[in-house]
Each structure stands twice: as C-alpha cells, then as structure tokens.
Amino acid sequence: MASVLVLAGCVGQGADIPQSSAREALRVTNAGQPFANFEGAAARKMAEGTCAGMGKRLVPSIYDRYEAGAWVYVEGCA
C-alpha cells in the first residue's frame, strides 16, 4: 500500500507510514477449565473483562477462533 501511495505522488519518498503494531493473542479458558465450542459469548465476556482489567479493550478479529478448549482472540488487547 505504501509503495502505491509513493508511486501516485500522495506521500514523499521518505515519509513515515505507521505500521500496525503486533499484538499478542489472548487465549481464554473458563477459570482453567476448557470452554466448549458453543460458549463463545461467555468466552468473549471473559476476554473483555481480562482486557478491561489491564486498562485496555478487546480487539475482535475475523480470525478469532476456538482451539483446544480455549477461545483465541488473535489481536488481543489494545
């Protein structure tokens, strides 16, 4: 994307274009016990509470998934 903007003359050649920072994925279990696949709503509430406890918010993604008893939120907290 940055090279397209440079070629179009929209930004200078040495412009600082912010890159998305890599976040650590958040894995949520039910107090150490595995969640079931259908417990996505409860896992989401737990994930939001975990992030809120750190003074952050949960960043949902289309790549969030259920994996081996845990719900994985790939973008984590921001």
Side-chain angles (χ1 to χ4, degrees), residues 1-45:
M1 181 70 174
S3 62
V4 173
L5 293 174
V6 172
L7 292 175
C10 297
V11 296
Q13 188 69 338
D16 288 331
I17 299 171
Q19 302 294 322
S20 62
S21 61
R23 294 186 188 100
E24 187 174 328
L26 177 63
R27 296 180 65 84
V28 180
T29 59
N30 192 7
Q33 299 298 313
F35 271 113
N37 189 22
F38 63 86
E39 294 179 301
R44 171 80 182 253
K45 286 184 181 190

Side-chain angles (χ1 to χ4, degrees), residues 23-29 43-44 46-52 54 57-59 64-65 70-77:
R23 294 186 188 100
E24 187 174 328
L26 177 63
R27 296 180 65 84
V28 180
T29 59
R44 171 80 182 253
M46 185 169 285
E48 289 173 343
T50 300
C51 291
M54 295 187 290
R57 63 177 179 78
L58 180 67
V59 180
D64 297 341
R65 64 189 176 276
W71 279 89
V72 180
Y73 297 92
V74 295
E75 293 291 322
C77 304

